[in-house]
Each structure stands twice: as structure tokens, then as C-alpha cells.
Amino acid sequence: MHKINQVKAGAIVSYITIFFNIISGFLYTPWLIGQLGQSNYALFSLVNSVMTYFVLDFGLGASITRFIARYRAEGAEHKVEQLLGVTTKLFLTLDFIILIALITVYSLLGKIYVSLTPAELENFKGIFIIAGTVSLLSFPLLPVNGIFTAYERLYAQKLFDLLAKIITVSAVVIALLLGGSLFTVVFFNTSIIFLVNLIKFLYIKRKEKIKIQITYRDKAMLKSIFGFSIWVMIASIADRFFFTFIPSLLGIISNTVEISIFAVAVSVENYICLFGSAFNNLYLPQVTRMVIAKEDKKKITDLMIKVGRIQLIIVSLFVVALVSMGKEFVICWVGEKYIRSYYVMILILVPSLVHFSQAIGTEMIYATNNVKYRALVYSLGSVISIITTLTLGKSFGAIGAAVGISLALILSHIILMNYIYYKKLGLDVMRYFKECHFKMYIPLLISCGIGFVISSIYPTTSLRLFIVKGAIWGVIHCVILWLFVLNSSEKALVKGFIYKLKKGAKKNG
């Protein structure tokens, strides 16, 4: 498949996966809470947040993508085999270190999570063992996504991800209907991802005839990998820090009720993040080639605006809907006792509109080896969120934590990162904001106002009626976008997509 078609096909499958996640999640999450109970659902969310740190690839996945893309652009294919040999040994070594860390953390769980009841702590220890064991098996396979991206096998990569989601949700639902417990949910949630990653590795190895020189040693290469990976690791940890560590912090200073309120909001944020990050890594090989060829920065800024507008158009649909009708949505979805999750969502999502639309800026950071600046900025944001959560979390729980996250996002992701895009990368940030954001804000505010009006005139607690209201608002929003936001190339893209859908429907008919 042609490279451009790979990007388009990969993006389309990404969005299909996201739609599946949203539809299944909105039906699956409240059902899962009902099956497990609020306390067990909080423990499920907690173990996922804890394990996120143990299954980090320490920046090596991004390193593999960057170095393979560079070697291929330079025509040095033999270096790919050498690179994979070095990184494989590195991953196996790190896997052993993670085992020691997991054992240490397990022995300290009672001292760390003092707010858990004895019964909750006992259950948490059990699911910690299950998740930890599968994580150890999964860890050496983490680089597989980086290899797929570097070889621009984007369609197959995203298709595997979609299958993993479908199988996971199906397995958990069937297991619970047959009498499964919290332990069953955690087992299927982790083991299926491991199996799919194993299949992905075998697939890419056969398709690209990849060989791994396991005996190869090169201190200079190892130093280059570490120099890049360490900053990617710090940036990756700090990037999702707000949503992975804060639940643990709430578990220490608050209670499981606040964790569950925060978890509901974060589950929605995760779905929106999937939309915002659908283009992430798809353009890294292309941006790397542009950097190596020393393309004019204006062309890269043009690409950033083009991709950023598409990302913002898509993400704004959901963010504006949640701002204007989200309170009613939360009540219909998971019940009135989770009403505070609405305020947590808004505090998190509104500042996220900017960084969700800057995938090309992130790719440029990786391609030019300026990841350390991203890591330092995101780390500063993490420190701000910790201080604010510790200050406000005891009194205001999940909402206090969300205030800290909101302040951190504004300072780190919006102000400082855009300064780096301008100062270090030479991108025309002001033109980006003018073309991508400022032209959209008034139409988006009008659409948001219409949502508030619909929600206040026709209030409902029925999920079905809410979906009807949401669909009506969605049509109005799309009309506003078509008339006042979309440019000629974006309209042509929409028309082309509709034409292909019609063509496919005729063939199937």
C-alpha cells in the first residue's frame, strides 16, 4: 500500500477503533461499575494506573521508530538489525529490574494505600499479582508498535489495535455474565493485550523479513539510544502523569469515592485523547524525512496547520458537546452520584484542545532530537499538579486534583511547549494559532451556546432521549463547521470520504 494511503487507512481504522471504544465504553463502563460495584471499580482503575508505570517502554519505542526511520531514509538497512539486537537485550534487562520493583511495591502496598479497607487491600493485592505477572510477559514486546510505525505498516497496526479492543471487551462481558469477578476482569484486560502484541511481532517480522542481531554490541549506538530514550521516557511519564498517578495520590489523601469520580472523568478524557492522538506517530517517518532533507520550516508549519485543523475539528465536536451538555450526560450515563465528574472533565478537557491539535509539533520534537525540552516542561506540569492535588485534594477531592491538572496543562502544554516550537524548532506558532484556532473559536462558542439552550429547554434523565438530543445538536454543529470553519480542501476531503462510503455501499448492495 502507498505511504500516503497507509497514513489515510491507518487514520480511518484509528477512528473506527475510537468509535468502538466510545460506544462500547459508554455502554460498557456503567455496566462494569454495576457488575463490580463502586469499590471494586475504583480498585480496577487504581491497578491500571499503577501498572501504567511498570509497562512503560522507557522511551525505547519512540527511539526505535526514530532510528529505524532515519536508517531507512539514509539507506542503511543493516543498521536496523543491529539496532533491534541492542534494544532486545536492553528490554530483557529492564524486564528483570521491573520484576524487582514490582516485588518491592507489592510488599509496601499496605503502607502506601492506607485509605483502603482491609478487604479492599486484600483484593488489590490479588489483582496486583495478576496485572504484574502479565505485564512482565508483555514488556519485551512493547517496541513492536515502534517497528510498525517506522516501516509505515500503519493500516495493519491500527487493525490489530481494533481487534484487541473488540476481543477484550467481549471476553470481559462474557466472563462477568458467566459469574466472573474483579480478578477475571483484570486477567482478560491484560492478557489479551499481551497475546495481540505477540501476534503483531510475528506478523511484522515475517512481512518485513526482520532479523535481530542479538549478539551485536555497539557502545556508541547504545549511548545514542539512551540519550534519546531517557528524555522520551520522562516526557511520556509526565505526559500521562496527571491521569495515572493522581488516582494513587487520591487513594493516599482521600478515598475510593473520589478515585471513582476522577476515574469516570478520566475514562471520558481517554476517549477524547484517542481522537486527539489518532494522527500521533503516523507522520513521524514523513517529518523525519523532511528534517533530513532540510525542508523549509514553512512547509512543516503548513503541515502542522493542516493536520492540526483536522484534529481540532474532530476533537472540538466532543469537547464542546461535553461542555454544553456534559452534566446531563453524566447523570444519564453513570448516575447523579457522579455529577462532580462533569466538573473534573471540563477542567481537564478545555485546556487540552490545544495540545490535542499539535501532533506535528510533537513529531518535530522527536525528529530533531529536542525531546529533553518536552520532558522538562511536562515534568514541571507534573510537579504543579502534585502540589495542587496535595493542597486541594483533601478538602475538594477529585475536583481539587482537576484544578491542579488544568493549571499544569495551561502552563506546560500550551504556553511553554509553544514557546519551544517557536524558539527551538523555528515553527511559525502565531500563524498556526491564527489559522488553526482563532478562526474556529467564535463558531465553536456559538455551537456551545446552542448546546446549553437545548439542554436547558429539554432536560432529560433518559440516555435514549439524550442521544437523540445529542444527535440533533451534532447536526447543527456540523452545519456551523461547514459554513464557517471548513476551508475548500477540508470540504473536498469530506466529500471524498462520503463518495467512497457511497461507492462501498453500492458494491456491498
Side-chain angles (χ1 to χ4, degrees):
M1 191 182 289
H2 193 272
K3 290 176 182 177
I4 295 175
N5 290 335
Q6 278 281 343
V7 172
K8 287 182 179 179
I12 290 169
V13 177
S14 289
Y15 283 122
I16 293 172
T17 305
I18 292 163
F19 276 116
F20 174 81
N21 284 338
I22 290 176
I23 293 169
S24 64
F26 287 159
L27 299 173
Y28 173 68
T29 301
W31 181 81
L32 186 62
I33 293 173
Q35 291 289 314
L36 295 178
Q38 190 175 41
S39 176
N40 278 343
Y41 178 71
L43 295 178
F44 173 66
S45 302
L46 188 58
V47 80
N48 285 337
S49 72
V50 172
M51 285 302 151
T52 299
Y53 287 102
F54 291 103
V55 295
L56 272 176
D57 68 358
F58 298 95
L60 291 169
S63 295
I64 288 170
T65 300
R66 178 179 180 268
F67 283 105
I68 291 178
R70 180 173 287 274
Y71 292 151
R72 295 186 74 213
E74 294 171 349
E77 292 284 350
H78 66 284
K79 288 188 176 181
V80 174
E81 298 176 7
Q82 297 169 351
L83 172 74
L84 294 176
V86 171
T87 53
T88 298
K89 288 184 288 187
L90 198 53
F91 266 92
L92 291 173
T93 303
L94 289 170
D95 207 22
F96 178 74
I97 295 171
I98 291 170
L99 171 62
I100 303 301
L102 283 170
I103 293 171
T104 304
V105 171
Y106 178 81
S107 66
L108 296 172
L109 287 178
K111 295 179 180 179
I112 297 172
Y113 299 106
V114 292
S115 65
L116 297 181
T117 65
E120 287 173 340
L121 182 61
E122 194 65 28
N123 283 338
F124 187 64
K125 285 183 176 180
I127 60 177
F128 188 93
I129 292 172
I130 295 170
T133 302
V134 180
S135 295
L136 286 171
L137 295 172
S138 301
F139 183 76
L141 296 170
L142 288 182
V144 72
N145 284 327
I147 299 172
F148 267 84
T149 303
Y151 279 96
E152 297 180 87
R153 290 274 182 178
L154 307 173
Y155 173 70
Q157 178 186 357
K158 300 302 179 181
L159 194 60
F160 276 120
D161 292 342
L162 174 59
L163 290 173
K165 297 290 183 184
I166 293 172
I167 295 169
T168 300
V169 171
S170 302
V172 169
V173 170
I174 292 169
L176 286 176
L177 289 174
L178 293 175
S181 63
L182 171 64
F183 300 94
T184 314
V185 173
V186 173
F187 173 76
F188 280 119
N189 210 53
T190 53
S191 61
I192 290 170
I193 294 172
F194 160 68
L195 291 173
V196 171
N197 279 338
L198 179 60
I199 294 168
K200 284 167 76 172
F201 172 73
L202 296 173
Y203 172 87
I204 194 68
K205 190 175 185 296
R206 184 175 67 85
K207 284 291 184 180
E208 296 295 340
K209 296 179 173 58
I210 292 173
K211 295 179 181 178
I212 301 174
Q213 291 189 20
I214 196 69
T215 58
Y216 181 77
R217 294 183 180 182
D218 188 329
K219 288 185 178 179
M221 180 181 284
L222 190 61
K223 186 178 179 181
S224 296
I225 293 169
F226 264 119
F228 183 79
S229 298
I230 191 69
W231 291 113
V232 175
M233 179 189 70
I234 294 170
S236 298
I237 292 172
D239 186 22
R240 299 304 295 172
F241 175 88
F242 313 118
F243 311 114
T244 53
F245 182 73
I246 295 301
S248 293
L249 203 56
L250 286 172
I252 295 169
I253 65 173
S254 190
N255 52 57
T256 54
V257 172
E258 295 301 321
I259 295 173
S260 63
I261 287 169
F262 188 82
V264 167
V266 169
S267 68
V268 175
E269 190 278 341
N270 285 338
Y271 296 134
I272 307 299
C273 183
L274 288 172
F275 274 102
S277 60
F279 286 94
N280 287 9
N281 296 324
L282 296 180
Y283 284 91
L284 182 56
Q286 179 181 342
V287 174
T288 301
R289 287 193 294 269
M290 293 174 80
V291 169
I292 291 173
K294 296 182 179 178
E295 292 272 9
D296 185 1
K297 295 295 174 62
K298 181 181 179 300
K299 290 185 178 180
I300 301 178
T301 302
D302 289 341
L303 182 63
M304 186 175 180
I305 292 169
K306 178 183 175 182
V307 176
R309 280 181 60 87
I310 295 171
Q311 287 180 296
L312 184 57
I313 287 166
I314 293 168
V315 172
S316 67
L317 169 66
F318 301 98
V319 174
V320 173
L322 286 168
V323 169
S324 59
M325 299 187 289
K327 189 181 292 186
E328 202 171 51
F329 163 71
V330 170
I331 294 171
C332 293
W333 182 36
V334 288
E336 197 164 353
K337 64 182 177 180
Y338 287 97
I339 190 66
R340 287 189 296 135
S341 295
Y342 165 75
Y343 301 103
V344 176
M345 278 191 298
I346 301 312
L347 285 166
I348 292 170
L349 286 173
V350 173
S352 298
L353 275 174
V354 174
H355 77 85
F356 278 156
S357 61
Q358 293 188 319
I360 299 303
T362 303
E363 310 291 35
M364 188 70 171
I365 285 282
Y366 286 123
T368 57
N369 197 16
N370 279 299
V371 191
K372 66 179 179 180
Y373 297 106
R374 186 172 186 253
L376 292 171
V377 166
Y378 281 19
S379 296
L380 175 63
S382 298
V383 172
I384 291 171
S385 68
I386 288 176
I387 294 171
T388 313
T389 300
L390 289 173
T391 305
L392 302 176
K394 283 187 178 181
S395 301
F396 301 100
I399 292 178
V403 170
I405 292 173
S406 187
L407 291 172
L409 288 172
I410 292 168
L411 178 63
S412 59
H413 289 62
I414 298 176
I415 297 173
L416 293 179
M417 279 309 303
N418 280 282
Y419 177 77
I420 289 168
Y421 293 149
Y422 166 72
K423 199 72 176 177
K424 296 299 297 183
L425 304 185
L427 299 175
D428 192 343
V429 172
M430 286 309 298
R431 184 163 73 89
Y432 159 78
F433 274 103
K434 182 182 176 182
E435 296 294 325
C436 188
H437 283 264
F438 297 157
K439 286 185 176 181
M440 293 193 196
Y441 283 160
I442 292 177
L444 292 180
L445 286 171
I446 292 170
S447 182
C448 187
I450 292 171
F452 276 116
V453 170
I454 292 174
S455 193
S456 60
I457 294 176
Y458 302 105
T460 181
T461 56
S462 166
L463 184 58
R464 288 183 180 180
L465 290 176
F466 178 82
I467 291 170
V468 173
K469 282 171 52 178
I472 293 170
W473 174 87
V475 171
I476 296 170
H477 179 79
C478 289
V479 170
I480 291 172
L481 290 179
W482 185 269
L483 293 175
F484 304 108
V485 173
L486 270 63
N487 58 36
S488 56
S489 64
E490 289 159 357
K491 287 180 179 179
L493 191 66
V494 173
K495 289 175 182 177
F497 180 69
I498 293 172
Y499 172 76
K500 286 180 180 178
L501 286 179
K502 288 180 177 178
K503 192 176 179 181
K506 285 181 181 180
K507 283 183 179 180
N508 293 330

